[in-house]
Amino acid sequence: MNAPTFSTWWVRLGQLAGLAALALLCAFDLRYGLYSGMGMAEALRALLQVGMAAATTVVWLPVHRQGSRSLPIAALVLGVISLAVTLGFLVLSTSRFILLGGTWGLAESAGMIAVVFVVTRWGSPRLAPWAAVVAALAAAAQPLRAGTDLVYVIFGLLQALGAVGAAAVGIYLRVVAAGRERAIALVRAEQRAEFARDLHDFIAHHVTGIVVQAQGARFVAEQDPQRVIVALEQIERAGAETMASMRRMVGVLRNPDAPPDAPLAPLAGVADLAPLLEGHNGTTDAPARLYVDGPLDELPVEVSTSAYRVVMEGLTNARQHAPDARSVAVSVRRTPDWLLVRVADDGASPRTPPARGHGFGLLGLTERVRALGGTITAGPGIAGGWVLDAAFPLRSAVAR
C-alpha cells in the first residue's frame, strides 16, 4: 500500500475540521432549536435531524479516488432521502401529527453542502452533475420543513447559494488537479522520449564505431593479425553493451512512428561532470566541488547519463533556489552494486521540494531514475541546506 501523499494529508485534515464543525452544529441544533420544548415530539425530531446530519458523513468523510462511481450514487440516495423527509415535513406539518412539524437542522444543511463539494470534486464525470443537483436541491429545500413563510424561503435561497459556491470550489479544484495530472503525464512522456533519444544516440555512436573497426580490421588482417583480434574484442564489447542497453530501455521507447531526429553524438555522462561543474562555477558565487569515490568507467550508459542529469538538476536548483549558498558539494560513489550520487548545498533559505511547486524538473528526473530501478530523494540536510540523493543499481542493470 502506498503511503499517503502530501495532498492526502491536507484532505484528511480538512475532513477532521469538517467533522468537528458538524459536531458543533449538531450541539447547536440540539440546544437552541430542537430541544427547546423538551417534549417527546421535540426529542424524536432531534434524533431525526441529527441522524440525517450524521448520514452525510458517510459521503463526504472518506477519502475518495478521483472519478469514483460509488460517491455520486451515495450522494443521489442521500439527496433523495432528504427531499423525501422535507416533503414529509410539508405534508404532515399541516396535519395534527406534530412529530414532523417545526424546524430544520443547520448540521444537516452544512453536511449536504459538503456532499455537493465532495461530489463535484471527486465524483464520476457522468454521475457527479446529477448527484450535485439533487444534493443542492435537498439543501435548498430543508428550511421549508419549518414552513413556507418568506423567512424560510430566504434561508432556502441562502443555502442554495452555499451549495452553488461549494460546487464552484469543487469544480475549480478538480480542474486544477486535472491540469496538474496532464502536466505530469506530459513530463513523463517527454522523459520517456528523452530516454529513447538517449538510446538512439548511444546505439548510433557504438554501431558507427563497430562499423569503422570492422572496416579497419578487414584492411589490416593480412599485415597485422594481432590488431584484428584487438578490434574484434572491441567490437564484441561494444555490441554486447549496445544489446544490453537496448534490453534495459526497450520499455521506455518513444513512439516508433516518430522520425529519428536525434543527433549521432556521444552522450553526456559521469565522465563529463568536470566540465559541467566548471560551467556552473562560471555563473554563480557558490562554487561546486566534485568528489569521486571508486572507478567510473564501464558504467551502463543509461546509469551514467542519468547520474549526469541528477547532478545537472541539483546544480540548477542550487542556482535558482539557494541564492545565499556559499558552496555546492557533488559526490559520486561507486560500490559493487550501486552508483550513489549526491548534490548538497549549504543555503540557509528554507524552501519546499521542487515537486510540490510549479516546476517539474525533479518529477521528470524521478521518473527517469525509477525507470532504472533506482531511488531519488530531495529535502533539507541535517546540517542545513538542501540535499539531492540518487541511487542507481548496477548488478540488476547488468542482469536484465
Side-chain angles (χ1 to χ4, degrees), residues 193-241:
E194 188 175 353
F195 262 122
R197 287 192 294 270
D198 286 353
L199 178 60
H200 176 276
D201 295 349
F202 174 76
I203 293 176
H205 176 62
H206 277 270
V207 170
T208 302
I210 290 172
V211 172
V212 171
Q213 292 181 34
Q215 291 173 342
R218 185 181 61 183
F219 287 109
V220 301
E222 297 180 357
Q223 291 81 7
D224 191 350
Q226 185 63 33
R227 290 180 61 185
V228 175
I229 296 176
V230 174
L232 291 176
E233 291 176 351
Q234 294 175 346
I235 291 173
E236 180 184 7
R237 183 167 55 251
E241 188 174 356

Side-chain angles (χ1 to χ4, degrees), residues 289-380:
R289 295 178 175 84
L290 178 63
Y291 304 91
V292 178
D293 182 8
L296 300 182
D297 54 338
E298 297 184 357
L299 287 171
V301 62
E302 63 272 21
V303 172
S304 180
T305 57
S306 297
Y308 179 90
R309 295 181 189 277
V310 168
V311 175
M312 184 166 59
E313 177 70 17
L315 295 177
T316 300
N317 287 337
R319 283 197 302 267
Q320 293 180 350
H321 304 294
D324 56 345
R326 293 172 296 178
S327 64
V328 181
V330 177
S331 61
V332 181
R333 181 188 177 196
R334 181 176 183 176
T335 69
D337 299 323
W338 294 88
L339 180 70
L340 308 176
V341 180
R342 166 171 289 190
V343 182
D345 64 68
D346 58 359
S349 300
R351 61 186 191 266
T352 57
R356 296 180 190 169
H358 297 289
F360 294 94
L362 184 59
L363 179 65
L365 193 61
T366 301
E367 176 75 9
R368 183 186 186 99
V369 174
R370 289 180 178 174
L372 299 176
T375 60
I376 184 170
T377 58

Side-chain angles (χ1 to χ4, degrees), residues 60-151:
W60 60 261
L61 188 57
V63 177
H64 299 281
R65 60 177 178 82
Q66 189 66 51
S68 172
R69 292 179 59 87
S70 59
L71 171 61
I73 292 175
L76 277 171
V77 172
L78 186 63
V80 169
I81 293 175
S82 178
L83 287 172
V85 171
T86 300
L87 181 61
F89 270 60
L90 290 173
V91 172
L92 297 178
S93 62
T94 59
S95 67
R96 294 182 179 180
F97 188 70
I98 62 172
L99 173 61
L100 294 179
T103 185
W104 83 98
L106 293 178
E108 182 187 356
S109 299
M112 194 61 67
I113 292 175
V115 168
V116 174
F117 166 76
V118 171
V119 167
T120 54
R121 173 61 181 86
W122 284 285
S124 169
R126 292 185 177 182
L127 299 177
W130 303 103
V133 169
V134 172
L137 289 176
Q142 285 170 8
L144 300 180
R145 298 173 184 177
T148 56
D149 296 342
L150 180 60
V151 63

Side-chain angles (χ1 to χ4, degrees), residues 46-65:
L47 292 177
L48 177 62
Q49 301 280 18
V50 173
M52 291 294 298
T56 64
T57 62
V58 178
V59 177
W60 60 261
L61 188 57
V63 177
H64 299 281
R65 60 177 178 82

